[in-house]
Amino acid sequence: MAIQGALPVAFDVVFPAGAFALGVEAITDFETKRPQMDKDSGLPLWAVDVIDADPEARGKAKSVKVKVAANVCPTLPDEVPGLPFRPIEFEAMAVMPYVDDNGRRPRIAYSLRARGVKAPGSAAAGRRAPAKEAA
């Protein structure tokens, strides 16, 4: 099969109405209590808490986490005066389907990943330091 791992997807496909960042935190491995590392790049993983700007999004789809692999914590875009959240875009997004068997019956779920964050419409990545990119 030609498709291996995460599937590349455009930011506008995942968040057609845009997205807002609430914050970012390191992802810790539950067993080792150490930073969780990205299997492809070997970089630490960071979770960006995101609210989907789509007014039709409901329940679990309204608030998601997007994992970003980077040497240091990704820098979120500056706050916009008058808005309670930070508008955000993700660079090089990918979606990883998996089977979630935590409920009454298994279901297909999706993990969102990105290589960087930026302000909407900007070309520069929002990182504090350059990170080795996964191929």
Side-chain angles (χ1 to χ4, degrees), residues 39-132:
K39 292 175 184 168
D40 294 329
S41 67
L43 297 172
L45 286 171
W46 306 87
V48 180
D49 289 319
V50 178
I51 291 183
D52 191 341
D54 183 355
E56 300 296 316
R58 300 281 184 251
K60 290 182 180 180
K62 189 69 175 169
S63 176
V64 296
K65 289 184 187 280
V66 177
K67 295 179 182 179
V68 178
N71 281 325
V72 294
C73 183
T75 303
L76 296 179
D78 292 333
E79 293 180 0
V80 175
L83 289 178
F85 309 115
R86 298 167 189 250
I88 192 171
E89 284 187 11
F90 291 97
E91 297 179 309
M93 287 196 77
V95 61
M96 174 70 92
Y98 66 95
V99 176
D100 179 6
D101 56 2
N102 290 327
R104 289 183 287 182
R105 61 182 192 174
R107 68 178 183 91
I108 299 294
Y110 303 94
S111 173
L112 298 172
R113 294 186 176 245
R115 289 194 184 155
V117 298
K118 64 181 183 174
S122 72
R127 295 188 191 151
R128 291 188 182 144
K132 181 178 97 179

